[in-house]
Amino acid sequence: MIYPLFLQEGEQSEAIGSMPGCSRWSITELVREAGEAHALGVPAVVLFPRIADDLKTPSAEECSNPDGLIPRAIQALKETHPSLTVITDVALDPYNSDGHDGLVSVDGRILNDETIDVLCEQALCHARAGADIVSPSDMMDGRVAAIRDVLDAEGFEDVSIMSYTAKYASAFYGPFRGALDSAPKSGDKKTYQMDPANAREALREAKLDEDEGADIMMVKPAGPYLDVILRLRNATILPIAAYQVSGEYLMIKSACAGGWLDEKRVVLESLLGIRRAGADMILTYFAKQVAQWHRDGATK
Ligand code: PBG
């Protein structure tokens, strides 16, 4: 299990209204929360920053600021918990005043190739701060090869790439965008994220990512896309990750808060289904909770 964690600037943490049970942590509290999860057996975290509005720009410069929120968080985590695997998200949406994962032209198009240069700077900044794995979630074409080249050239051969290989243009990301205030200001993400009706495109993306040097392939969302996980499982020998996203989390949380479903059993079954489909690792907001249940012997 990989535990996605949100963070923000300052000493205060804040509960996330759209994701009950999740918070945007201060760096200090992030280190504590990640440490607790790690002590329970969670091997890895992935970080998502809430960036202050006045730092968001059309060219997203803040994404590669070596003194930015993410590099400082990586350093703090690695210093305190050296055995915790720290994964970072590579995409521009938290930093971009347009709210898109890529740079946007004056006429509203996503600038694929120009974006890749910025993503490379961002990935390099994370590697320099000590990230173990960088995880491009932007869906630009060609970014895995470009990031691999830059990392290798700068001496970061050991930093791995977990690529969002099959990331669908999904309505299930809504609560996440609320958590980070990162929804697109105009348009949608359908020109770079995938068409939910298209399964074969995932195989094309997988072939490209494999050729470009991805170490791990991800399918996202997870629950509504179990067939895609299985297709990729049959098409590659690379490890496959699946992301049980914010909307999947919220559906379970709200049904259980109403007393309509048994939270522990439903969470475990939802993860088991993703595992059965062929995922080797699962990104889930339930990671710490599940590790706790496991520790208590309650997952039998
Ligand atoms: C954006 C990103 C998103 C998520 C992870 N990275 C949202 C999006 O593509 O709009 C969603 C995760 C979730 O919903 O839990 N780079």
Side-chain angles (χ1 to χ4, degrees):
M1 284 187 299
I2 298 172
Y3 190 19
L5 289 168
F6 300 99
L7 63 156
Q8 64 183 21
E9 208 59 77
E11 285 309 308
Q12 297 296 328
S13 299
E14 225 173 309
I16 299 173
S18 57
M19 298 179 67
C22 294
S23 294
R24 279 185 303 268
W25 303 108
S26 66
I27 289 184
T28 310
E29 295 255 286
L30 173 84
V31 170
R32 180 201 47 72
E33 176 72 7
E36 286 176 16
H38 193 41
L40 288 167
V42 175
V45 295
V46 58
L47 305 180
F48 295 102
R50 158 90 194 260
I51 300 299
D53 283 342
D54 58 354
L55 292 176
K56 297 185 184 189
T57 56
S59 38
E61 286 94 346
E62 181 63 16
C63 78
S64 57
N65 175 1
D67 301 317
L69 182 58
I70 287 290
R72 279 180 284 125
I74 300 168
Q75 284 156 5
L77 285 167
K78 292 305 290 187
E79 214 172 273
T80 318
H81 312 298
S83 63
L84 176 71
T85 297
V86 175
I87 308 174
T88 57
D89 192 63
V90 174
L92 304 187
D93 49 325
Y95 305 93
N96 180 332
S97 42
D98 296 301
H100 277 285
D101 294 32
L103 302 174
V104 183
S105 72
V106 279
D107 57 349
R109 284 176 307 113
I110 301 298
L111 298 165
N112 189 91
D113 295 7
E114 290 84 342
T115 299
I116 288 180
D117 294 338
V118 185
L119 297 172
C120 286
E121 288 301 315
Q122 186 182 20
L124 196 53
C125 165
H126 296 173
R128 286 188 177 128
D132 299 293
I133 301 178
V134 294
S135 190
S137 68
D138 56 286
M139 293 303 278
M140 300 301 121
D141 293 325
R143 89 284 206 211
V144 170
I147 291 172
R148 186 70 272 159
D149 282 351
V150 166
L151 292 177
D152 288 354
E154 296 288 325
F156 296 106
E157 294 93 342
D158 293 341
V159 173
S160 302
I161 300 178
M162 176 165 75
S163 175
Y164 286 64
T165 296
K167 177 175 179 180
Y168 285 88
S170 170
F172 286 93
Y173 308 149
F176 173 99
R177 293 179 190 170
L180 295 187
D181 208 3
S182 65
K185 297 287 180 286
S186 67
D188 54 41
K189 299 193 176 185
K190 288 181 185 169
T191 62
Y192 47 107
Q193 299 183 349
M194 289 164 49
D195 175 2
N198 195 335
R200 276 205 327 268
E201 190 183 11
L203 297 173
R204 287 177 58 203
E205 294 281 0
K207 185 167 181 336
L208 289 167
D209 275 0
E210 209 165 60
D211 291 348
E212 290 182 33
D215 298 285
I216 302 168
M217 289 190 191
M218 195 200 295
V219 176
K220 174 183 176 184
Y225 294 84
L226 295 180
D227 60 311
V228 177
I229 298 174
L230 181 58
R231 278 170 209 251
L232 288 204
R233 178 66 293 149
N234 292 334
T236 180
I237 55 168
L238 285 182
I240 293 181
Y243 197 148
Q244 183 180 52
V245 299
S246 55
E248 298 176 77
Y249 173 82
L250 182 62
M251 286 198 305
I252 295 177
K253 271 296 193 192
S254 30
C256 297
W260 292 305
L261 289 175
D262 177 330
E263 178 160 344
K264 189 171 67 190
R265 291 181 57 206
V266 168
V267 169
L268 293 176
E269 190 173 332
S270 72
L271 297 175
L272 188 66
I274 297 165
R275 178 87 179 103
R276 190 185 60 238
D280 301 289
M281 40 195 114
I282 303 176
L283 293 84
T284 173
Y285 301 99
F286 292 113
K288 184 183 172 199
Q289 173 67 78
V290 171
Q292 181 70 59
W293 285 331
H294 195 59
R295 180 63 53 98
D296 296 343
T299 52
K300 300 276 185 312

